[in-house]
């Protein structure tokens, strides 16, 4: 065997065009494999490209840090704090992230609607968790991108990068056509919770409805603070990101541990009861062109799919009608609820306006301006080189500009709090109205807004097992007359 290998290597070296021919492979086919049929020049080029990419990936953080080197504190022995945010990424890597996002969204839609494969969605989730989660350390992500968008709208000096716009818009556009495909296998937050789910328990329906308004309120809260330039609370208080970065403040680490433990028994607790971007996806999915359908044929109403969904997204068949004796009372209740919606919006806007002064103090510029005014009225001794004394020295350099900026910020906070208060009232009012409506549904089918398109329910359907050849059609439950009529249509 060694002699034959030696003859192969010598003959290859004698070849002028450096390429194995089909004839050579046929002669020594017992020692050859298909992937040997390549140009050796291309092989060398491939090795060089892989080496350069590996070197580039390992030096990205170093390049980003060298652009703005930290100051030297060797004389004072000052220790720089450890940053909790990831280093800046190269621009071409950001566009690579967008390309990977587009590819993952396309694969997710293909796996859900074409292949109907839970195994494929699971594999995609693992890839997204590794790439978007642990390798990219969760930044930038679609969940925090709305804050960048709203800040770009209210702050002329802030420019929103194209990659952020892509991360914000792409999952929403896909949701308009294919529902929450982003949640199914592309979002690393959902993938981590999905993989940790061990023994899901069913959340009571009343609690599901009550907690379901929190993502919309958290969305309004995050956009309010982002519009005023105070900060990005959606990113700052994200309980999943510290897991990807393997560090973070003590409070967030506690919330991360609590979320993981809760996620072992409650399906995707963060996605269902807190994720603000999930609220946007829920709204867009309600108008999606395609929807997840459990059965490929007709529903035999065996209820197996209902038990397979750990997120409580499956809905029972309903006639959508009500007995005449209850119809009048239901219409009267709906009318009262519709009248309550504008009242709730006005009340929320009033409460928001009243709280705007206190909320504005969370902004450092407003806080400094108030401290400067109080110092002018009743001087206080803050000591030498204390943060308060240093901030007052900074305020005294240009007090007029500071007071003007604080006034503008207070006006912006008032407007943002009024809008946020009205938004909270609208969310509560719409939720109450939706609970009083009845939906016509003939089959067991997932709720468009609540379904994460995880593909768990497909294999629970006997019709799906017949379609893929894992069960004979003779074992299907007998169809009633209504189902046969529906199949005939």
């Amino acid at each position: 065997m060694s002699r034959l290998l030696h003859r192969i290597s010598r003959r290859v070296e004698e070849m002028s065009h450096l390429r194995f021919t089909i004839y050579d492979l046929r002669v020594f086919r017992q020692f050859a494999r298909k992937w040997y049929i390549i140009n050796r020049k291309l092989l060398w080029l491939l090795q060089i490209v892989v080496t350069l990419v590996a070197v580039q990936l390992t030096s990205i953080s170093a390049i980003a840090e060298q652009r703005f080197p930290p100051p030297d504190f060797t004389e004072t022995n000052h220790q720089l704090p450890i940053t909790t945010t990831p280093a800046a990424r190269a621009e071409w890597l950001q566009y690579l992230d967008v390309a990977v996002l587009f590819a993952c969204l396309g694969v997710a839609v293909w796996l859900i609607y074409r292949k109907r494969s839970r195994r494929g969605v699971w594999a995609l989730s693992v890839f997204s968790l590794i790439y978007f989660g642990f390798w990219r350390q969760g930044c930038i992500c679609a969940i925090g991108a709305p804050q960048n968008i709203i800040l770009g709208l209210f702050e002329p000096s802030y420019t929103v990068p194209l990659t952020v716009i892509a991360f914000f818009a792409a999952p929403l556009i896909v949701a308009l056509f294919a529902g929450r495909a982003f949640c199914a296998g592309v979002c690393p937050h959902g993938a981590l919770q999905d993989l940790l789910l061990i023994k899901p328990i069913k959340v009571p329906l009343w609690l599901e409805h009550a907690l379901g308004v929190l993502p919309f309120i958290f969305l309004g809260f995050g956009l309010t603070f982002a519009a005023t330039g105070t900060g990005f609370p959606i990113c700052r208080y994200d309980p999943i990101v510290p897991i990807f970065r393997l560090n973070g403040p003590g409070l967030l680490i506690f919330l991360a541990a609590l979320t993981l433990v809760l996620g072992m028994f409650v399906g995707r607790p963060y996605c269902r009861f807190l994720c603000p971007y999930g609220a946007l996806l829920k709204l867009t999915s309600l108008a999606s062109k395609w929807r997840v359908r459990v059965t490929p044929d007709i529903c035999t109403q065996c209820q197996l799919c209902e038990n397979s969904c750990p997120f409580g997204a499956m809905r029972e068949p309903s006639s959508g009608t009500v007995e005449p004796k209850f119809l009048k009372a239901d219409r009267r209740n709906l009318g009262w609820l519709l009248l309550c919606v504008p009242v709730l919006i006005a009340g929320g806007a009033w409460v928001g306006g009243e709280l705007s002064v206190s909320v504005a103090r969370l902004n450092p510029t407003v806080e400094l301006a108030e401290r400067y005014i109080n110092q002018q009225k009743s001087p206080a001794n803050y000591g030498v080189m204390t943060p308060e004394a240093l901030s007052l020295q900074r305020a005294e350099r240009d007090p007029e500009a500071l007071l003007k900026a604080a006034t503008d910020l207070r006006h912006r906070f008032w407007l943002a709090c009024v809008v946020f208060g009205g938004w909270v009232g609208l969310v509560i009012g719409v939720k109450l109205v939706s609970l009083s409506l009845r939906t016509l549904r003939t089959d067991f089918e997932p709720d468009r807004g609540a379904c994460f398109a995880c593909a768990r329910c497909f294999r629970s359907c006997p019709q799906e097992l017949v379609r893929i050849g894992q069960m004979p059609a003779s074992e299907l439950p007998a169809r009633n007359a209504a189902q046969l009529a529906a199949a005939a249509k």
Side-chain angles (χ1 to χ4, degrees), residues 315-321 434-442 445 447:
R315 299 293 181 262
E316 297 179 353
S318 172
S319 62
T321 57
S434 66
L435 293 177
S436 66
L437 299 177
R438 299 178 184 274
T439 305
L440 174 62
R441 192 178 297 109
T442 58
E445 59 185 36
D447 184 275

Side-chain angles (χ1 to χ4, degrees), residues 391-456:
S391 63
L392 287 174
Q393 290 179 7
R394 188 170 66 253
E396 290 173 352
R397 295 173 186 171
D398 193 355
E400 293 183 359
L402 174 66
L403 296 178
K404 183 178 183 304
T407 303
D408 294 340
L409 281 171
R410 275 194 167 179
H411 177 70
R412 189 181 295 184
F413 262 99
W414 177 84
L415 180 60
C417 288
V418 167
V419 174
F420 173 61
W423 169 255
V424 174
L426 177 64
V427 169
I428 296 175
V430 171
K431 185 64 180 179
L432 293 175
V433 171
S434 66
L435 293 177
S436 66
L437 299 177
R438 299 178 184 274
T439 305
L440 174 62
R441 192 178 297 109
T442 58
D443 299 334
F444 278 90
E445 59 185 36
D447 184 275
R448 287 195 178 194
C451 177
F452 292 110
C454 64
R456 278 186 173 88

Side-chain angles (χ1 to χ4, degrees), residues 65 143 227 230 285 310:
E65 291 175 357
I143 298 175
T230 305
S285 297

Side-chain angles (χ1 to χ4, degrees), residues 1 3 119 122 230 282 300 339 357 398 443 479-480:
M1 180 175 178
R3 182 178 299 176
R119 184 175 300 177
W122 180 87
T230 305
K282 188 173 185 178
T300 57
L339 291 176
V357 176
D398 193 355
D443 299 334
R479 302 176 180 178
N480 55 35

Side-chain angles (χ1 to χ4, degrees), residues 93-391:
L93 271 180
Q94 298 179 22
Y95 287 104
L96 174 65
D97 296 338
V98 173
V100 175
L101 173 67
F102 288 168
C104 289
L105 288 172
V107 172
V109 173
W110 179 69
L111 289 173
I112 296 167
Y113 292 97
R114 185 68 178 177
K115 300 296 291 183
R116 297 172 61 88
S117 171
R118 170 59 191 166
R119 184 175 300 177
V121 173
W122 180 87
L124 181 62
S125 299
V126 173
F127 170 78
S128 300
L129 177 62
I130 296 173
Y131 185 86
F132 294 110
F134 289 101
W135 189 59
R136 293 183 63 252
Q137 299 184 346
C139 188
I140 55 174
C141 70
I143 298 175
Q147 301 169 116
N148 301 82
I149 301 297
I150 199 69
L151 180 59
L153 293 176
F154 282 85
E155 182 58 51
S157 61
Y158 181 76
T159 303
V160 184
L162 290 177
T163 52
V164 175
I165 297 175
F167 268 85
F168 168 74
L172 294 176
I173 294 174
V174 172
L176 285 175
F177 293 92
R180 303 176 69 168
F182 175 76
C183 301
V186 185
C187 178
H189 290 56
L192 179 62
Q193 298 171 83
D194 223 4
L195 296 176
L196 292 177
L197 185 60
I198 299 176
K199 188 176 179 59
I201 59 175
K202 186 175 182 179
V203 179
L205 190 59
W206 64 269
L207 185 60
E208 182 95 22
H209 287 306
L211 297 178
V213 301
L214 293 182
F216 295 94
I217 296 176
F218 190 34
L219 173 66
F221 173 77
L223 297 184
T224 298
F225 270 75
T228 58
T230 305
F232 289 178
I234 295 176
C235 299
R236 186 172 183 180
Y237 299 106
D238 191 316
I240 306 294
V241 169
I243 301 172
F244 298 147
R245 299 176 182 174
L246 303 178
N247 65 14
L251 176 61
L252 283 186
I253 292 176
F254 170 76
L255 293 177
L258 182 63
T259 304
L260 293 183
V261 173
L262 188 62
M264 294 180 182
F265 308 101
V266 178
R268 298 197 180 199
Y270 174 79
C271 301
R272 294 163 67 185
F273 308 127
L274 195 59
C275 179
Y277 195 72
L280 293 176
L281 289 173
K282 188 173 185 178
L283 293 177
T284 51
S285 297
L286 294 176
S288 61
K289 181 179 181 180
W290 305 311
R291 62 181 175 87
V292 173
R293 182 174 170 80
V294 180
T295 174
D297 190 359
I298 64 170
C299 178
T300 57
Q301 300 187 3
C302 60
Q303 302 185 14
L304 295 176
C305 56
E306 185 181 21
N307 299 327
S308 67
C309 181
F311 311 121
M314 202 62 64
R315 299 293 181 262
E316 297 179 353
S318 172
S319 62
T321 57
V322 65
E323 295 183 12
K325 60 181 180 181
F326 300 120
L327 187 59
K328 185 176 181 180
D330 287 350
R331 287 178 175 174
R332 183 171 60 249
N333 293 335
L334 178 60
W336 280 112
L337 289 174
L338 290 175
L339 291 176
C340 286
V341 172
V343 176
L344 290 172
I345 295 175
W350 179 79
V351 173
E354 292 296 316
L355 296 176
S356 63
V357 176
S358 301
V359 177
R361 294 193 180 99
L362 298 176
N363 186 281
T365 302
V366 177
E367 181 188 12
L368 178 59
E370 289 194 355
R371 181 178 299 164
Y372 174 77
I373 295 174
N374 294 332
Q375 184 68 12
Q376 299 301 316
K377 294 180 179 177
S378 57
N381 186 13
Y382 290 108
V384 182
M385 298 298 290
T386 58
E388 292 81 5
L390 293 175
S391 63

